[in-house]
Amino acid sequence: MLTIWGRRTSSNVQALMWCVGELGLPYRRHDIGHRHGGNDTPAFLAMNPNGTVPVLRDGDDEPLWETGAILRYLATRYAEAAFWPLDLRARTHVDKWAEWAKLNVAMNFTVPVFWHVVRTASRDKNPAALAQALDVLGKKLDIAEARLTSHAFLAGDRFTLADIQLGHVLYRYFDIDIPRADRPALRRYYEMLADRPAFREHVMVSYDELRVA
């Protein structure tokens, strides 16, 4: 049994939970962070001194933190080879795209774009900063568009861990009120992900509680 600490509206927790759902793993999840609090208690900080979510404990093993490391752990321990290949070269290819998606798409979207649109008060918004952030993000999404034009999924023709790292931000990307260039391959890819039950359950989650007027 997996035990997971982290609120369901956290994008990092959503990536983890989507992976757990795809792998069909039993779990208990505790709402921690944001309006739920609890991530600054001595008990939580003993598990993760950074005070961030998610944190995962697999049975009685040592707690794990940092989403990418947790995802690789779950994939290595529980996934089939199609999702996380046994061959080192093939696995590194998937990991390359997973890291690219995390560092270039998720990080260039979550704080500079999503937080600006949803989690920033109207009086504090900076249209010029948002436009610049969208330009940076757009150049990265153009890479994804080119990749997805010739492949069904990010790392190739099968669903892999790389798609968790890219796909978990796309619900919010396509849902919030921002200008978006026409990227038909990315849209097709998102719609395909949105047909997956685990994506609908764990990623397509209302973020209304995060809104700041």
Side-chain angles (χ1 to χ4, degrees), residues 28-186:
R28 295 188 305 266
R29 185 184 58 78
H30 304 286
D31 276 320
I32 293 289
H34 196 249
R35 67 182 179 89
H36 303 282
N39 55 319
D40 58 354
T41 65
F44 187 85
L45 293 172
M47 293 190 297
N48 179 3
N50 301 288
T52 55
V53 295
V55 171
L56 176 139
R57 171 171 272 165
D58 189 355
D60 294 326
D61 290 350
E62 179 180 350
L64 301 175
W65 35 274
E66 295 300 338
T67 308
I70 296 173
L71 292 175
R72 286 190 290 271
Y73 165 80
L74 293 177
T76 302
R77 184 161 186 179
Y78 295 110
E80 296 179 354
F83 182 77
W84 189 236
L86 297 175
D87 175 76
L88 178 61
R89 290 175 184 263
R91 179 181 292 191
T92 302
H93 175 73
V94 171
D95 200 23
K96 171 189 72 178
W97 281 108
E99 283 294 291
W100 174 85
K102 178 183 72 174
L103 295 173
N104 293 279
V105 178
M107 291 183 67
N108 279 313
F109 170 75
T110 299
V111 174
V113 176
F114 179 77
W115 281 34
H116 191 102
V117 173
V118 175
R119 301 186 63 175
T120 301
S122 297
R123 64 181 180 277
D124 297 325
K125 290 183 178 179
N126 183 333
L130 177 60
Q132 183 178 17
L134 287 170
D135 183 62
V136 171
L137 176 65
K139 289 180 172 61
K140 304 306 180 182
L141 291 178
D142 286 342
I143 296 172
E145 175 71 14
R147 179 72 181 167
L148 294 168
T149 297
S150 56
H151 297 84
F153 296 98
L154 186 59
D157 294 321
R158 291 177 177 268
F159 180 80
T160 69
L161 186 66
D163 299 297
I164 300 285
Q165 289 285 35
L166 174 61
H168 80 277
V169 300
L170 291 183
Y171 167 64
R172 293 179 175 183
Y173 170 75
F174 281 108
D175 195 63
I176 62 175
D177 184 17
I178 54 172
R180 286 178 291 271
D182 183 30
R183 298 184 180 91
L186 185 68

Side-chain angles (χ1 to χ4, degrees), residues 7 9-10 34 114 118-119 172 207-212:
R7 58 183 170 85
T9 55
S10 160
H34 196 249
F114 179 77
V118 175
R119 301 186 63 175
R172 293 179 175 183
Y207 47 84
D208 283 347
E209 70 177 43
L210 304 177
R211 290 190 181 276
V212 175

Side-chain angles (χ1 to χ4, degrees), residues 174-199:
F174 281 108
D175 195 63
I176 62 175
D177 184 17
I178 54 172
R180 286 178 291 271
D182 183 30
R183 298 184 180 91
L186 185 68
R187 169 68 75 170
R188 183 267 316 159
Y189 172 75
Y190 165 66
E191 291 174 351
M192 183 168 56
L193 296 181
D195 282 337
R196 304 180 76 91
F199 186 90

